[in-house]
Amino acid sequence: MYTIGSGQTKYLLSKNKESKTYKKFLSQFFGIEKVVYNAYASPIDAARIGQITEDRYYEQMDDGWFTQTKVVNKDMNVLIASLDVSKLVNGKVIDFEEVKSLFFIEFIELDEDTDIKVKFKNYYNQIQHQLLCSGLNEATLTFICVYDYNDEEAYKRVIEDKDIKKYKISRDEDVFNQIIENAKPFQLMKNYLEK
């Protein structure tokens, strides 16, 4: 309660404050609507398989990487983020990856010239939020190809290099400033409500 996670960045930056999704975002911020999210039990295939795929990717990573590391912005504690996979040294995040799964048809369209900021604006902004919270200057957006939505196969899957495409995302001051500006009233409310 009284925090804004990186998954909510698209709502925080929304220009339509009258939309149902923005009102839902507000009700979650104030704790009126509780968020109970269990991707493993999701009826949405992409959400469920995406979580399993992320877990399989993490299990195949080298030592020194951790999953779901929480970071809080040092100047505005209303802004928080859970990093999908992060590298820690002495308890400090020195690198992280935001992992997204894409169905095969969309995955094969990606190449080195893909403009992530345009094609995947919400992911791009989410990573900016995470960079703002972690204090880092860049991170990696990792796409993993999904060939089908079979849970049993997904749990046994070995993710190969051909199934992965990575993009370095650098700090974007314009997006940082938008996030900070839009978060200011929420920080004031958090300060007031937590007195």
Side-chain angles (χ1 to χ4, degrees):
M1 191 163 37
Y2 313 139
T3 58
I4 302 167
S6 60
Q8 297 173 307
T9 309
K10 64 182 175 183
Y11 308 120
L12 177 66
L13 297 180
S14 173
K15 297 198 184 327
N16 183 1
K17 307 294 191 244
E18 295 300 318
S19 70
K20 286 182 183 178
T21 54
Y22 191 81
K23 289 175 181 175
K24 182 175 182 172
F25 161 62
L26 289 176
S27 70
Q28 290 173 351
F29 176 80
F30 287 109
I32 297 164
E33 183 176 329
K34 301 289 184 207
V35 180
V36 179
Y37 185 72
N38 179 1
Y40 300 105
S42 176
I44 302 167
D45 289 340
R48 193 177 62 256
I49 296 298
Q51 184 61 59
I52 297 167
T53 302
E54 181 182 316
D55 291 346
R56 295 299 298 146
Y57 177 69
Y58 168 69
E59 288 168 11
Q60 295 173 213
M61 295 184 85
D62 297 332
D63 289 343
W65 288 88
F66 297 87
T67 185
Q68 298 303 316
T69 304
K70 182 180 174 184
V71 289
V72 180
N73 181 271
K74 66 180 178 61
D75 298 317
M76 299 179 80
N77 65 358
V78 73
L79 298 173
I80 65 169
S82 282
L83 308 177
D84 286 345
V85 288
S86 55
K87 183 167 262 193
L88 303 179
V89 172
N90 297 325
K92 183 173 169 53
V93 176
I94 62 163
D95 194 9
F96 71 87
E97 294 183 27
E98 176 64 24
V99 182
K100 301 292 185 188
S101 60
L102 283 181
F103 192 64
F104 175 73
I105 293 167
E106 195 171 6
F107 183 83
I108 59 172
E109 293 176 353
L110 296 176
D111 59 32
E112 61 276 354
D113 296 324
T114 300
D115 187 344
I116 298 298
K117 187 174 182 177
V118 173
K119 187 167 177 67
F120 298 99
K121 181 180 178 183
N122 288 337
Y123 296 165
Y124 180 87
N125 289 343
Q126 179 180 5
I127 290 178
Q128 294 305 318
H129 184 128
Q130 293 167 333
L131 289 170
L132 188 58
C133 290
S134 67
L136 298 179
N137 289 320
E138 71 173 13
T140 304
L141 175 57
T142 301
F143 289 108
I144 301 176
C145 185
V146 171
Y147 299 99
D148 61 49
Y149 292 113
N150 181 309
D151 290 27
E152 189 177 322
E153 291 301 315
Y155 277 112
K156 297 186 291 189
R157 182 174 178 197
V158 175
I159 297 165
E160 300 176 28
D161 288 345
K162 68 178 177 60
D163 301 326
I164 301 168
K165 292 184 181 177
K166 296 187 177 201
Y167 296 85
K168 281 290 184 193
I169 308 293
S170 297
R171 178 183 172 116
D172 182 329
E173 293 299 330
D174 289 338
V175 179
F176 266 39
N177 291 334
Q178 288 174 42
I179 293 170
I180 291 167
E181 196 58 36
N182 287 16
K184 282 179 180 176
F186 291 96
Q187 184 65 56
L188 289 171
M189 286 184 270
K190 178 178 172 64
N191 294 346
Y192 174 75
L193 293 168
E194 290 183 342
K195 279 185 182 177

